[in-house]
Amino acid sequence: MNIDEIETFITLVQEKNFTKTAEKRSLSQPTVSVQIKNLENQFQTQFIRRTTRQIFLTEDGHFFYKEALKIQHIYRNIQESLYARHHEASGLLKIGASFTIGEYRLPQMIASLKGLYPNLTFAITIANTDTIMQKVQHFDVDFGLVEGTIKAKNIEQTPFKHDQLVIICSTRDVEHYQTINDLQNQSWVIREEGSGTRESFETLIETFQLTIHSSITISSTQGIKEGVKNGLGLAFISESAIQEELRNGSLQVLNHLNLQTERQFSFIHRQGVPVTKNTKRFIKHALSLD
């Protein structure tokens, strides 16, 4: 067994196609087949079943895939550690981030880190909190940056910054909301299920016993802001995501209602898996920022 064969197997499982795997691994298709067969022969079992159109993992194949991801992670960590003994930090850091962090916090964090370690490269995935958690669990990213609390048992969570959630409205509608009672039977622009912001919104509604007249779901922080600007309703959103709009006066925060909610931004990674040096560098740097 060698790391090339393991990485070919991982790619095949992810691509579900021998031709695409060969292209992605810069191998011939027969070589891919040989590498998979070598693994199966070594472990005296069958990992892959093929039809004319699809491939399927056997039960042993599912087990080996999970273990192969761990081996790949450890191998890359060893590579990174050995390189770092003689060179400055370099390599690819794969980061998953929820929308609020990914769109409004992460670019600044990466820019300042690149100033310290110019040879680092980054691959960023931005999605809602649930999706980022799944990507961390499946080793699709090195670590995640999310808001709120993660309840999965195999995820380790480390808070790194406080975040304030506020209710916003369009500038022309601000005079309509003078008391908490004015929030009853209103229209809201909200995030989708699985979003940390959506979870916080539902807590707000339950806490203050607010009745919703109607809601529009938009799976984008920017889309929500544009919806509020165009009079589609109120929104509950991170204050860090509306700094530009507060400066230009296109959105208003209903601060006088005192309904702000504080939550945590956190790092998440797979429990029991060693954290790479580059990940440690990123976390240490992020904790040092204001």
Side-chain angles (χ1 to χ4, degrees), residues 41 136 160 202-203:
N41 288 340
V136 169
F160 72 92
E202 290 172 348
T203 300

Side-chain angles (χ1 to χ4, degrees), residues 76-84 90 276-279:
R76 289 178 178 176
N77 191 34
I78 293 171
Q79 276 188 316
E80 186 180 283
S81 297
L82 288 173
Y83 186 88
S90 65
T276 68
K277 283 193 174 183
N278 281 340
T279 296

Side-chain angles (χ1 to χ4, degrees), residues 67 132 155 170 211 225 261:
E67 299 306 309
I132 296 303
I155 293 292
S170 66
T211 301
K225 293 192 295 182
T261 296

